[in-house]
Amino acid sequence: MDLEKKPMVSDVGAWAMNVVSSVGIIMANKQLMSPNGYAFGFATTLTGFHFTFTALVGWVSNATGLSVSKYVPFWELFWFSIVANLSITGMNLSLMLNSVGFYQISKLSIIPVVCFMEFLLHSKYYSRRVILAVAVVALGVGICTVTDVDINAKGLLCACVAVFCTSLQQITIGSFQKKYNIGSFELLSKTAPVQAVSLLIVGPFADYYLNHHSLLEYRFTSGATFFILLSCSLAVFCNMSQYLCIGRFSATSFQVLGHMKTVCVLMLGWILFDSALTLKNILGMLLAVLGMVVYSWAVEHEKQAKLATHIIANSKSEEEDVKLLKEKVNGLAKSDLELGQTKS
């Protein structure tokens, strides 16, 4: 299950898995949680179900030998689960306390926060091309999604916590994979059980605060149960592809991909649920897609530039080695000649 080491799982396959599973889970959750659907208004608890299902899949994979369990200190997993759970809870509270417009703006602000944190933590620099492309993506998605903007103190605090924790969580996923030399699925198998237990404990209380309904009072019909299981199944692929994409690329690239999912959700909402699609939405989506294309080109251009610099540096180093070797050989030949003259 170490997907990074298998050539059949390409970069495009990793992106596609994340986009398809994420859009699918949004559509399933919309049917499950909407008042016109099954009115399951327990988002935090549902996330706990997701990680429980993911942890179960990881346990089965380890037990059957499909993946190998690697050591990660428990305290690292514990603080990571706190950050990840604060990210989930903070996003839910931000959506409840703020207007939809401000909620979308807070999500868009994750990209610059990720870039800044990667600079602080890993001294990572971004070219002007990449920064420009990210700005175009954020502007396009903002045009698509941001309508009314209403801010209050509690909502602003929750949004700040959510943005900070989401950024830190995604950067930490990549750091853990490099630090412990662990694959994406192996790391997910370690973090999922801790997140599952903590969310199943905290989730019902958080959801009660959000919607004033108790999980114990909810009537689990066969339709609701089916969509919960569908959501959990898609969550396995969504979580796995998230770890895979961040491990292969970066948290910034993953955020840019996330806005592609926003465009797909808007399109599917228009096709499947008769959601309104205005000229403003269409122009915003086109601008976002253009930004993603430019971002892909800019990142590829940076890779090629770094590769060229590396090749030039290696060639210079080899030239210097050859020069030193020649000087050494000439020096030896000269000393031999002087020695021969002395003997004669």
Side-chain angles (χ1 to χ4, degrees):
M1 293 295 275
D2 191 358
L3 298 180
E4 294 84 0
K5 296 180 181 178
K6 292 191 176 183
M8 66 180 182
V9 182
S10 65
D11 293 347
V12 175
W15 289 123
M17 184 195 298
N18 188 262
V19 171
V20 172
S21 60
S22 298
V23 173
I25 202 172
I26 289 170
M27 294 295 111
N29 288 352
K30 187 168 184 177
Q31 179 64 27
L32 175 65
M33 304 179 77
S34 134
N36 297 327
Y38 294 98
F40 186 82
F42 307 97
T44 311
T45 305
L46 180 62
T47 308
F49 292 162
H50 289 169
F51 281 106
T52 302
F53 206 79
T54 303
L56 181 62
V57 171
W59 179 81
V60 171
S61 177
N62 289 334
T64 55
L66 292 174
S67 61
V68 180
S69 179
K70 290 190 177 181
Y71 174 74
V72 179
F74 178 76
W75 72 269
E76 295 257 45
L77 298 174
F78 181 72
W79 81 256
F80 174 82
S81 69
I82 292 174
V83 171
N85 293 347
L86 281 174
S87 165
I88 294 164
T89 308
M91 281 295 179
N92 291 338
L93 287 170
S94 176
L95 182 58
M96 184 191 79
L97 297 172
N98 297 312
S99 63
V100 175
F102 183 74
Y103 173 75
Q104 290 295 342
I105 289 175
S106 68
K107 287 182 70 176
L108 290 173
S109 68
I110 292 174
I111 289 185
V113 173
V114 166
C115 293
F116 181 68
M117 290 181 71
E118 285 191 322
F119 168 72
L120 285 180
L121 299 174
H122 304 301
S123 301
K124 186 171 184 178
Y125 291 86
Y126 292 91
S127 67
R128 291 181 180 178
R129 293 185 183 91
V130 171
I131 294 171
L132 178 62
V134 168
V136 172
V137 172
L139 178 62
V141 176
I143 292 172
C144 289
T145 57
V146 176
T147 51
D148 60 313
V149 178
D150 183 26
I151 306 174
N152 61 77
K154 287 183 180 178
L156 178 62
L157 177 62
C158 290
C160 290
V161 170
V163 169
F164 174 78
C165 290
T166 301
S167 304
L168 182 59
Q169 178 217 6
Q170 293 180 359
I171 291 172
T172 304
I173 289 172
S175 299
F176 275 4
Q177 291 188 44
K178 292 173 184 175
K179 182 177 180 180
Y180 296 107
N181 191 27
I182 188 170
S184 56
F185 188 77
E186 293 164 346
L187 179 60
L188 181 61
S189 300
K190 290 289 185 181
T191 59
V194 184
Q195 282 190 258
V197 171
S198 54
L199 282 172
L200 289 178
I201 294 172
V202 175
F205 297 100
D207 290 329
Y208 184 80
Y209 174 77
L210 289 169
N211 57 32
H212 306 293
H213 288 93
S214 171
L215 181 66
L216 299 174
E217 297 172 356
Y218 183 77
R219 183 170 170 266
F220 288 88
T221 63
S222 57
T225 304
F226 169 78
F227 275 98
I228 288 172
L229 291 175
L230 176 62
S231 181
C232 289
S233 301
L234 289 168
V236 175
F237 293 100
C238 184
N239 290 329
M240 187 164 54
S241 59
Q242 177 190 3
Y243 280 54
L244 183 59
C245 289
I246 292 175
R248 286 190 176 190
F249 306 102
S250 68
T252 304
S253 296
F254 183 75
Q255 279 299 318
V256 173
L257 171 74
H259 294 310
M260 183 66 208
K261 292 181 281 189
T262 303
V263 172
C264 292
V265 168
L266 287 172
M267 289 296 297
L268 285 175
W270 174 62
I271 295 169
L272 300 177
F273 299 101
D274 296 325
S275 300
L277 195 64
T278 63
L279 179 62
K280 174 173 165 282
N281 296 136
I282 295 171
L283 291 175
M285 285 189 285
L286 291 174
L287 186 61
V289 172
L290 174 64
M292 290 169 202
V293 172
V294 174
Y295 178 82
S296 301
W297 169 79
V299 169
E300 188 61 29
H301 183 272
E302 278 193 353
K303 285 182 182 178
Q304 295 299 328
K306 286 179 181 178
L307 182 62
T309 304
H310 183 67
I311 291 172
I312 291 171
N314 283 345
S315 64
K316 284 183 178 179
S317 177
E318 288 175 1
E319 287 176 3
E320 289 176 0
D321 289 344
V322 170
K323 188 177 178 181
L324 288 171
L325 185 61
K326 283 182 178 179
E327 289 176 356
K328 190 173 182 181
V329 170
N330 290 336
L332 287 172
K334 201 170 185 182
S335 64
D336 288 344
L337 181 61
E338 290 175 353
L339 183 63
Q341 288 175 350
T342 304
K343 286 181 177 179
S344 61

